[in-house]
Amino acid sequence: MVVLDAYDINAIERGVSETIEEGIAYLSRHNPNDLRAPRGSVDVSMGLDGAQRRFLPMGGAFRREQLRWLEAELREMRAAGERAIVLTHVPVMPEATVYGALVWNFDEALEALRSPGCGTVALVLAGHFHDGGYAFDAAAGTHHVTLPSPLHSSPEDPRAHCVVEVFEDRLEILGAGLVPSRSLALAPCPPSAKCDV
């Protein structure tokens, strides 16, 4: 299990002015709108189309140091014949979310996740996009599941959670309430004597 900080660079953190300044500087290179305007007074998505819509203040990015660390961890896992389940709040796979809920540097994150080769990262679990989503990255053999938000559950059935069961050949996501159940076949095991998830 690997946990990533998708808000390593962000523009919403409270009480850490240098982090906010770094996040606003990052966003300003990609978003022409007034990112310092009082919240709700400016449409910060104006003029952003397609994948550019990810450059909104409620998102975030991974620092290069975190992605280098991730690549090193995944190389070690592959060498040991292990697989990874990666947790991140903000989705990294465009097809598993909408552009406005995608991590700013998704391309760099996907490169890091793909770096050890097909089959090493079995699953990326994310949130942030309240409707949830799913995509399969054939280049990495990785399932990307974006879990729906419990904010959308009903008073009659407030459940929005799941259990992930791990087997040699598949992952079973046992959903409850808003979270659908899924059976996810695993890509071929990385070359080694044994493969543990």
Side-chain angles (χ1 to χ4, degrees):
M1 183 88 51
V2 178
V3 180
L4 299 177
D5 179 6
Y7 291 104
D8 205 8
I9 301 171
N10 73 80
I12 59 174
E13 192 165 323
R14 303 272 188 245
V16 186
S17 61
E18 63 269 1
T19 300
I20 297 293
E21 291 306 314
E22 182 181 9
I24 289 174
Y26 187 102
L27 274 181
S28 294
R29 292 193 299 271
H30 307 282
N31 185 327
N33 299 297
D34 183 0
L35 301 170
R36 295 183 186 281
R39 186 175 180 155
S41 66
V42 171
D43 179 359
V44 294
S45 67
M46 188 180 303
L48 302 178
D49 294 314
Q52 293 303 109
R53 292 188 59 81
R54 72 186 184 275
F55 296 114
L56 299 174
M58 73 279 284
F62 305 105
R63 281 191 171 85
R64 284 192 178 102
E65 295 81 8
Q66 184 177 183
L67 294 176
R68 282 195 297 267
W69 169 83
L70 173 62
E71 289 172 346
E73 291 293 310
L74 295 176
R75 277 193 307 272
E76 285 181 25
M77 290 177 143
R78 183 171 182 91
E82 299 173 346
R83 297 184 195 258
I85 294 175
V86 176
L87 307 178
T88 174
H89 179 74
V90 183
V92 299
M93 185 73 172
E95 296 82 1
T97 187
V98 295
Y99 288 129
L102 186 63
V103 75
W104 298 339
N105 59 342
F106 78 91
D107 47 350
E108 295 172 44
L110 286 174
E111 186 178 314
L113 291 168
R114 293 169 177 159
S115 69
C118 190
T120 303
V121 179
L123 173 66
V124 175
L125 275 177
H128 196 59
F129 176 47
H130 290 194
D131 291 342
Y134 170 81
F136 181 70
D137 181 1
T142 302
H143 297 277
H144 289 259
V145 175
T146 304
L147 299 172
S149 172
L151 295 172
H152 294 294
S153 65
S154 69
E156 297 78 36
D157 187 2
R159 299 171 306 145
H161 63 274
C162 67
V163 172
V164 179
E165 292 185 345
V166 179
F167 298 92
E168 190 75 25
D169 63 338
R170 72 191 186 286
L171 300 171
E172 294 288 339
I173 296 180
L174 308 176
L178 289 179
V179 178
S181 294
R182 301 174 188 271
S183 182
L184 307 172
L186 294 176
C189 186
S192 73
K194 185 174 188 299
C195 195
D196 298 319
V197 179

